[in-house]
Amino acid sequence: MKISQLPALVGLSTAIFTNAIVDEDNTKKNNLRLLKQPGMKCTTYTIDGELILKNSAVFRSSRIDSISSSSQCTNIAAFAGGALGATFCSGDTFSIGATAFFDEHGNEMGYYTRSGMRVPLFDPAEGELTLVGNAFNAFVFENGDQLHFQGVDKAGAPTLVTAVAGGTGEYIGAAGEVTITDFLKDKENTFEVCLLQK
C-alpha cells in the first residue's frame, strides 16, 4: 500500500464504523446493519443455494494440543438441513467450489468461491461457545476480472457483511462491502456488492 492511499482507507474505515447501527429490536448483539455511503454503487448478484451446498465441504484435521479440554465444537445438525454434517469445530476449514453466479436479469456472470477456517469465540456473558469463521470470498467474472471480499462471521448467521479487499482488472483498488443474505440456505442466496465510486 502506498502512503498516498492511507487517507482514503482511514476515511472508509471511519465511515463504515460510524454508520454501524444496531437493529431496532436490539435482540442480537451481532445483528448490525450498515448504512450505504453516498457515492456507492450497488449491484446485486444471486447464487442457487442448493448448488452452493452441493459444492461445499468441511474438512477436519486431528487435534494435537491440550491447551483446552473443551471440544470447541458447535452443533450444526439443524443448520443447512444437516448438509454440512453435525458439528463445526475450532480449526475446521471450509470451502465452496467454483459455483456460477448471476446478475439480476439471470445472466451468468462467472463463478464464486469461498474458503476459510472456523475459530472459537467464547462469550462469558452468555456462558457458551460459538464459532466464527475467517472467510475469503471471490467473484471471478467471465472476462477474468476478480473481486475479492473477506470477513469474520458467526457460523449459521443469516446475514453476513464483508469488506471488499480489492481485486484485478476493473476491481483494482476497489473498496466497499458485500452483504450476503440467506447464505447456505437451500434457496436463492443474494450478494449485494456496494463499491465506492472512484
Side-chain angles (χ1 to χ4, degrees):
M1 169 179 266
K2 295 179 183 176
I3 298 294
S4 62
Q5 294 174 311
L6 284 177
L9 179 62
V10 170
L12 173 62
S13 299
T14 302
I16 289 173
F17 288 113
T18 300
N19 289 294
I21 61 171
V22 179
D23 269 354
E24 294 168 5
D25 67 1
N26 200 20
T27 56
K28 297 186 185 220
K29 295 188 297 193
N30 295 329
N31 197 4
L32 295 177
R33 177 170 51 94
L34 296 177
L35 298 175
K36 305 303 178 226
Q37 298 299 311
M40 291 186 97
K41 180 181 178 191
C42 299
T43 305
T44 301
Y45 298 108
T46 59
I47 302 177
D48 181 328
E50 288 183 28
L51 194 53
I52 284 181
L53 288 170
K54 180 181 174 187
N55 292 342
S56 295
V58 176
F59 304 94
R60 182 163 301 149
S61 57
S62 61
R63 186 172 174 170
I64 59 170
D65 66 49
S66 59
I67 295 171
S68 171
S69 61
S70 69
S71 67
Q72 296 185 339
C73 294
T74 299
N75 184 336
I76 61 163
F79 175 63
L84 299 176
T87 58
F88 257 145
C89 297
S90 177
D92 284 355
T93 58
F94 53 87
S95 65
I96 296 175
T99 305
F101 71 98
F102 301 85
D103 69 9
E104 61 231 6
H105 305 292
N107 300 311
E108 186 171 339
M109 300 300 294
Y111 65 88
Y112 165 76
T113 66
R114 175 181 171 91
S115 62
M117 178 181 287
R118 289 283 166 212
V119 295
L121 170 65
F122 183 74
D123 185 350
E126 298 292 326
E128 64 183 37
L129 173 80
T130 58
L131 291 174
V132 296
N134 298 319
F136 173 79
N137 303 263
F139 281 137
V140 179
F141 292 85
E142 289 183 338
N143 68 358
D145 290 356
Q146 298 180 24
L147 177 66
H148 300 166
F149 47 106
Q150 59 193 37
V152 177
D153 57 80
K154 185 176 178 180
T159 302
L160 313 176
V161 180
T162 64
V164 172
T168 65
E170 179 184 341
Y171 302 101
I172 291 174
E177 65 186 23
V178 178
T179 303
I180 307 169
T181 54
D182 294 322
F183 191 60
L184 292 177
K185 303 290 188 233
D186 61 353
K187 56 183 176 181
E188 189 173 80
N189 293 207
T190 303
F191 294 71
E192 184 185 33
V193 177
C194 294
L195 301 175
L196 288 173
Q197 296 303 289
K198 299 176 185 179

